[in-house]
Amino acid sequence: MHDITAFVSHEDSSRHDTGWDHPDHQGRLPAIVRAVQRDMVALWEPLRQTEGVPATEDDLLLVHTPAYVDRVREMATDAARAERTLQLDGVPVSGASWDAALAGAGSALTAVEAVLAGEVRNGFALVRPPGRGAAADAAGECSLFNNVAIAARHLRVRRGVERVLVVAWGARQPAALAQVLQEDDGVRLISIHQHPQSFPEPEETAEHPPIDGVALPPGSDGEAFAAALRQVLDAVPADESIDFVLLSAGFCILAADAHGSLAVEPDEVHAITLLLRDWVDARAGGRLVSVLEGGYAASETARAVIQHLRALAGLPPA
């Protein structure tokens, strides 16, 4: 079973209703699922499709404040009662968003547990809403609960994992992820992202801890992205033991994605993922879980995820 890649999802993730004009619309995950089904001749043996176990409130409290968890639940209840989508800190919340958010965080945890148990080599959690933009007490960037941070804290607090490496890639730097993990000395965060000052509305850099990583200029392609990933991985000290790696996988790095200005093509994602997987095999015993974040060009994101899964599973590119 060790050569198997877990593909973890839950049907509730697609019920999060933001409206079809929103970047994180309900068509994102079905597009990926259809792409996986089309590639199932290749993926049948190395991919284990697993239903995620929804997170509990205790899971959420590993990262988020009780008051904020209550706010999300109450907003979803209000949205269901009003039969329309409401806004929480600028993030859409529908009547189904509470269940979707629990399914997303739980799918990440389910993948982590499968890897820890040795049932699979690595895993990918297909989730929405994304998580990396959620602070301990606020929603942000399409995110309600910080799925990767919850998984990291679960590994540290409950499973006694001494050193967790979180690799984040995406158009924007993972400010909220850095905030919620900054107090845990057993977690290292590194990031590859578009330069924060290259956006039409530059990001504020004083609101979060410094983030180790590489800020790429707009137009950077897959080769430049892979070189940046290699650079940040090589910067992890050789004598630093890494016990588990979590990937915050934002596919807003793609050229077709309107929410960033990087220029990675879907076919280039295979080599980028393989670079990370090989490093994890050498430094962390292969223990890697990737969690979907952004990626708002649905068809191109689906193509990229196929390449991502193939690399995780040790298959050649499509």
Side-chain angles (χ1 to χ4, degrees), residues 158-236:
R158 295 174 173 163
R159 296 301 181 222
V161 174
E162 291 188 8
R163 296 293 301 173
V164 176
L165 174 66
V166 176
V167 179
W169 73 42
R172 293 186 179 271
Q173 57 185 342
L177 191 56
Q179 285 179 329
V180 298
L181 293 176
Q182 66 179 318
E183 301 298 329
D184 193 330
D185 292 336
V187 179
R188 174 190 285 268
L189 171 65
I190 57 178
S191 175
I192 308 94
H193 51 267
Q194 184 179 327
H195 197 287
Q197 299 304 312
S198 67
F199 288 89
E201 297 179 0
E203 298 178 39
E204 297 290 336
T205 57
E207 296 181 356
H208 59 78
I211 298 172
D212 292 333
V214 175
L216 291 167
S220 296
D221 61 8
E223 184 176 350
F225 198 93
L229 177 60
R230 186 178 295 107
Q231 178 182 332
V232 297
L233 292 174
D234 286 348
V236 178

Side-chain angles (χ1 to χ4, degrees), residues 22-280:
H22 191 273
D24 182 32
H25 59 71
Q26 288 179 284
R28 290 181 63 223
L29 300 196
I32 294 170
V33 171
R34 287 193 299 270
V36 170
Q37 290 171 343
R38 288 194 297 269
D39 202 36
M40 195 51 73
V41 171
L43 294 173
W44 176 259
E45 289 190 6
L47 202 68
R48 176 195 282 182
Q49 297 191 63
T50 303
E51 183 176 33
V53 177
T56 66
E57 290 192 36
D58 284 343
D59 295 329
L60 304 180
L61 294 173
L62 290 168
V63 169
H64 298 284
T65 66
Y68 175 66
V69 171
D70 288 343
R71 282 180 66 207
V72 177
R73 186 198 309 102
E74 290 165 5
M75 183 67 73
T77 300
D78 290 345
R81 186 180 299 116
E83 297 184 345
R84 62 185 180 91
T85 298
L86 304 177
Q87 296 285 323
L88 178 65
D89 303 327
V91 175
V93 176
S94 71
S97 295
W98 172 257
D99 289 342
L102 293 184
S107 291
L109 293 175
T110 300
V112 162
E113 284 299 307
V115 172
L116 283 177
E119 298 171 358
V120 296
R121 174 196 184 102
N122 50 42
F124 176 77
L126 180 70
V127 308
R128 61 180 288 276
R132 64 191 276 161
D137 58 357
E141 295 180 23
C142 304
S143 305
L144 294 175
F145 297 127
N146 205 312
N147 305 315
V148 168
I150 291 168
R153 294 294 294 149
H154 172 80
L155 284 165
R156 293 276 296 129
V157 173
R158 295 174 173 163
R159 296 301 181 222
V161 174
E162 291 188 8
R163 296 293 301 173
V164 176
L165 174 66
V166 176
V167 179
W169 73 42
R172 293 186 179 271
Q173 57 185 342
L177 191 56
Q179 285 179 329
V180 298
L181 293 176
Q182 66 179 318
E183 301 298 329
D184 193 330
D185 292 336
V187 179
R188 174 190 285 268
L189 171 65
I190 57 178
S191 175
I192 308 94
H193 51 267
Q194 184 179 327
H195 197 287
Q197 299 304 312
S198 67
F199 288 89
E201 297 179 0
E203 298 178 39
E204 297 290 336
T205 57
E207 296 181 356
H208 59 78
I211 298 172
D212 292 333
V214 175
L216 291 167
S220 296
D221 61 8
E223 184 176 350
F225 198 93
L229 177 60
R230 186 178 295 107
Q231 178 182 332
V232 297
L233 292 174
D234 286 348
V236 178
D239 60 352
E240 182 176 326
S241 175
I242 302 295
D243 301 305
F244 206 106
V245 178
L246 296 168
L247 173 62
S248 170
F251 289 97
C252 40
I253 63 175
L254 297 177
D257 200 298
H259 297 273
S261 299
L262 298 176
V264 177
E265 295 295 337
D267 291 348
E268 296 177 309
V269 170
H270 188 279
I272 294 168
T273 305
L274 191 60
L275 172 64
L276 177 61
R277 195 198 74 163
D278 288 348
W279 189 92
V280 175

